Amino acid sequence: MSFLTLDLNLLRVFDAVMTEQNLTRAAGHLAMTQPAVSNAIKRLRESLGDDLLIRTAYGVKPTPRAEALWPAVRSALASLEAAVAPGTFDVSRAHATFRMAMADATAAFWLPSLMRSIEREAPGVNVRMVPLTTREPRPMLLRGDIDLAVGFFPGVAAQLMSEPSSPIRHERLYSGTYVCVMRRDHPLAKSELTLDNYCAVNHLLVSFSGRAHGLVDEALAQIGRERRILLTVNQFFTAGRVVANSDLVTVLPKHLIASTGMTDALISKELPFQLPAVHLDMLWHERDARSPVHKWLRSHLESMNSVTQRTAPGTAPKNDTY
């Protein structure tokens, strides 16, 4: 294949199909017929000498070559759009599908407002939520599995601040503190929470991986103490339910408590030892840095955060931790 003979319009179709993983939906976004999209993909496949997309019962599945090609295509298209039509972006006419990764509590807070804004301002934008099961979302961003990750990524954020050449971009949305959470009629609810009685009770740990060791355990080990983790769960909502109906205690970011849906049944206490602050970070790949619609999404999340901190500092759930 010679690049000089490649029809670059095929790359725009390829980007839409990769985004939607479905020929019919891609056709709708491109204002094309489904057969026209199929023909475009066939021509690109012949030009590149690779199947690119394999049909499945649920749509199409990209080949490894397609997965490797897509980030470069997407970045190039965004750069061309910014160069050819600067200042003409109209979010109300944009068509895009974003794949976002967040923990359940983060999604519970951000998504209602985001959906209202999309319905009102960007009716052509779709969102597909992907489970956040790790504190290291960079591989997902590098592969193009997701477009944006929002959560608590302490190791990642620290590395990115010292690696300006990384293709992963990041912005801090929020900083907060951890507290010990228990049911209102817990045996420790009306007494001082000391290090001894904290370590003596049974604990619940929110762990995406199921690993029974977290930041609290690291902090306790530094002062020669430990706790018994009776249960690990992978959802903050589940954590609130369990703690509200048992003698287990857990540690959560203070502003996360409301997202458990059990605020009336829970109380929080200051921890009898020091923990670092909990941060909420937004991560994305540089290939999307200049995309107008991606900028709109990031700006919306930024504005949501500033409004929340200004209007409801005591109740807004922002988090992602273990």
Side-chain angles (χ1 to χ4, degrees):
M1 184 206 73
S2 170
F3 181 76
L4 295 176
T5 62
L6 178 65
D7 184 350
L8 298 184
N9 287 319
L10 302 181
L11 299 180
R12 182 166 170 263
V13 176
F14 171 72
D15 177 60
V17 175
M18 287 292 290
T19 298
E20 291 298 329
Q21 306 282 290
N22 183 282
L23 297 181
T24 301
R25 290 197 298 268
H29 284 175
L30 293 167
M32 297 171 63
T33 64
Q34 195 270 345
V37 170
S38 295
N39 183 59
I41 294 299
K42 178 182 177 182
R43 291 170 55 200
L44 184 61
R45 181 168 56 239
E46 293 171 349
S47 297
L48 299 180
D50 188 275
D51 287 339
L52 294 178
L53 300 161
I54 302 170
R55 289 185 179 274
T56 71
Y58 304 101
V60 291
K61 178 182 178 181
T63 65
R65 176 74 187 283
E67 292 279 13
L69 179 64
W70 187 34
V73 170
R74 195 172 194 190
S75 178
L77 290 175
S79 297
L80 285 171
E81 182 179 5
V84 172
T88 62
F89 175 66
D90 181 358
V91 72
S92 68
R93 303 178 65 181
H95 290 280
T97 296
F98 292 108
R99 287 169 295 176
M100 302 169 62
M102 300 182 191
D104 64 304
T106 305
F109 173 70
W110 294 107
L111 290 184
S113 177
L114 178 60
M115 292 304 102
R116 288 194 297 269
S117 293
I118 288 176
E119 290 179 323
R120 181 175 63 250
E121 303 173 27
V125 169
N126 304 311
V127 175
R128 304 289 180 257
M129 295 304 300
V130 175
L132 182 63
T133 58
T134 175
R135 278 194 281 186
E136 175 50 285
R138 284 179 293 183
M140 300 170 72
L141 289 164
L142 290 169
R143 291 193 304 266
D145 294 342
I146 59 174
D147 304 298
L148 196 72
V150 178
F152 177 51
F153 315 119
V156 174
Q159 289 180 21
L160 290 176
M161 293 179 70
S162 62
E163 296 177 3
S165 62
S166 171
I168 304 301
R169 300 290 177 255
H170 115 283
E171 180 173 342
R172 180 145 296 162
L173 295 177
Y174 174 79
S175 293
T177 58
Y178 289 101
V179 292
C180 180
V181 179
M182 64 189 70
R183 62 183 174 88
R184 288 191 174 275
D185 55 350
H186 192 281
L188 297 179
K190 295 183 179 180
S191 60
E192 178 185 359
L193 186 61
T194 66
L195 184 59
D196 286 339
N197 58 31
Y198 174 83
C199 292
V201 297
N202 290 324
H203 294 258
L204 176 150
L205 173 65
V206 180
S207 170
F208 295 155
S209 66
R211 180 171 174 260
H213 188 86
L215 294 175
V216 169
D217 304 285
E218 294 173 6
L220 289 174
Q222 291 178 1
I223 57 177
R225 303 299 295 266
E226 61 182 9
R227 61 176 178 166
R228 182 200 174 193
I229 298 174
L230 190 154
L231 174 67
T232 67
V233 298
N234 59 10
Q235 292 185 329
F236 293 98
F237 177 79
T238 303
R241 289 278 175 172
V242 172
V243 170
N245 292 279
S246 71
D247 282 342
L248 275 68
V249 303
T250 191
V251 172
L252 300 175
K254 185 175 182 180
H255 297 290
L256 166 65
I257 299 173
S259 68
T260 66
M262 301 298 294
T263 306
D264 293 340
L266 301 173
I267 65 167
S268 64
K269 288 179 172 288
E270 284 190 28
L271 290 165
F273 52 89
Q274 294 294 316
L275 280 183
V278 55
H279 304 295
L280 185 71
D281 291 306
M282 176 168 61
L283 306 182
W284 66 96
H285 195 284
E286 65 178 7
R287 63 175 168 263
D288 295 313
R290 291 185 294 274
S291 166
V293 68
H294 202 284
K295 285 183 178 179
W296 175 85
L297 176 66
R298 299 196 307 268
S299 296
H300 179 78
L301 294 176
E302 293 165 6
S303 64
M304 284 174 58
N305 178 65
S306 61
V307 169
T308 298
Q309 293 195 75
R310 184 172 65 251
T311 60
T315 59
K318 309 180 185 69
N319 57 72
D320 277 310
T321 186
Y322 304 93

